[in-house]
């Protein structure tokens, strides 16, 4: 029997199959725990809430309700990183860095609570956005953890797709999905530009740690080889 050639799609299947049920349950439980902590912090700030000002960048991004679909797609997007983890070390790196990023962000929200300004939008024609505004009350604004997890996920997926030698179209799609989520946070008036910038900085620091851990794993594997 001729062995199956090593292709990126074969590695994709192997990664997706590795502990798939455990990864799915852990990701779901992690997201649920995050939301519990997120809303608890929002309702128990330790100081007065500060309004994050809008800037000229926000004036360039028009209110666009259909972008809500891209906004909520984060919770599908963020699950791809752990699902494509190759081994326990890569999975543990993702989990540890994600937890650290969430703890830092929630700690900032608790000590320095923020919210976005009132844009004067009539939400009644947009029931899904109106529901989001009632639940989220535009708090826990800066840094945007929505942005932070989108940027971190983009780095994780880029690292994984590059390791698999996936076609460049998938790398481009990953980047565009991330940028779409960042855009949607402003187009739905959930965040302002300063929130997006701060969230990206937090994700950048987290990504450096993640990439360093993964690079160390690859160096170890190459020495063994």
């Amino acid at each position: 029997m001729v062995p199956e050639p090593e292709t990126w799609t074969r590695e994709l299947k192997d990664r997706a199959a590795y502990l798939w049920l455990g990864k799915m349950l852990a990701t779901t439980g992690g997201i649920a725990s995050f939301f519990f902590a997120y809303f608890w912090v929002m309702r128990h700030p330790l100081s007065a809430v500060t309004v994050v000002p809008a800037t000229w960048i926000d004036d360039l991004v028009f209110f666009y309700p259909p972008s809500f679909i891209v906004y909520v797609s984060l919770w599908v997007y963020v699950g791809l990183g752990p699902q494509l983890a190759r081994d326990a070390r890569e999975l543990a790196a993702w989990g540890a860095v994600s937890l650290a990023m969430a703890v830092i962000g929630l700690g900032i929200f608790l000590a320095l609570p923020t919210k976005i300004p009132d844009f004067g939008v009539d939400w009644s024609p947009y029931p899904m956005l109106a529901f989001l505004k009632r639940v989220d009350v535009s708090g826990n604004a800066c840094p945007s953890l929505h942005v932070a997890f989108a940027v971190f996920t983009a780095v994780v997926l880029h690292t994984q797709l590059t390791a698999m030698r996936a076609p460049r179209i998938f790398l481009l799609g990953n980047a565009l999905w991330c940028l779409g989520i960042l855009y949607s946070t402003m187009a739905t008036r959930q965040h302002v530009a300063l929130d997006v910038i701060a969230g990206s900085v937090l994700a950048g620091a987290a990504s450096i740690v993640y990439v360093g851990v993964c690079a160390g794993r690859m160096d170890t594997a190459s020495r063994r080889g």
Side-chain angles (χ1 to χ4, degrees):
M1 180 181 295
V2 178
E4 182 180 347
E6 293 290 340
T7 64
W8 81 272
T9 53
R10 181 181 178 185
E11 183 171 351
L12 177 68
K13 293 175 183 177
D14 291 343
R15 284 172 173 261
Y18 174 72
L19 296 178
W20 70 270
L21 181 58
K23 290 189 289 190
M24 183 180 66
L25 293 175
T27 303
T28 303
I31 292 174
S33 299
F34 169 79
F35 274 122
F36 177 83
Y38 179 89
F39 288 115
W40 187 92
V41 167
M42 183 181 291
R43 288 162 175 75
H44 299 85
L46 296 180
S47 60
V49 179
T50 300
V51 177
V52 182
T55 66
W56 62 270
I57 302 175
D58 298 286
D59 295 334
L60 299 176
V61 181
F62 297 103
F63 176 55
Y64 187 59
S67 65
F68 173 77
I69 301 300
V70 182
Y71 181 84
V72 297
S73 76
L74 171 73
W75 305 113
V76 174
Y77 186 55
V78 77
L80 297 179
Q83 285 301 133
L84 295 182
R86 182 177 186 175
D87 53 32
R89 180 169 178 175
E90 190 174 309
L91 185 61
W94 178 89
V97 173
S98 295
L99 178 60
M101 191 164 58
V103 169
I104 291 171
L106 293 174
I108 294 173
F109 296 155
L110 189 63
L112 301 170
T114 50
K115 67 178 182 179
I116 64 169
D118 183 0
F119 287 99
V121 176
D122 177 11
W123 300 105
S124 57
Y126 318 108
M128 295 303 296
L129 283 172
F131 172 76
L132 182 62
K133 292 294 178 181
R134 286 195 302 271
V135 172
D136 205 8
V137 297
S138 300
N140 288 359
C142 188
S144 167
L145 288 183
H146 209 87
V147 166
F149 277 104
V151 173
F152 177 60
T153 297
V155 173
V156 171
L157 290 178
H158 181 84
T159 302
Q160 294 169 333
L161 291 169
T162 301
M164 286 185 278
R165 297 181 176 84
R168 291 183 179 180
I169 188 66
F170 289 91
L171 299 177
L172 176 61
N174 174 47
L176 291 177
W177 195 347
C178 175
L179 290 174
I181 292 172
L182 268 60
Y183 160 77
S184 72
T185 64
M186 299 174 64
T188 56
R189 296 297 185 254
Q190 277 295 104
H191 287 284
V192 295
L194 292 177
D195 304 335
V196 173
I197 293 170
S200 299
V201 170
L202 176 59
S207 298
I208 290 172
V209 175
Y210 173 83
V211 171
V213 171
C214 290
R217 179 185 68 81
M218 289 187 289
D219 289 342
T220 301
S222 63
R223 285 196 296 269
R224 288 177 179 174

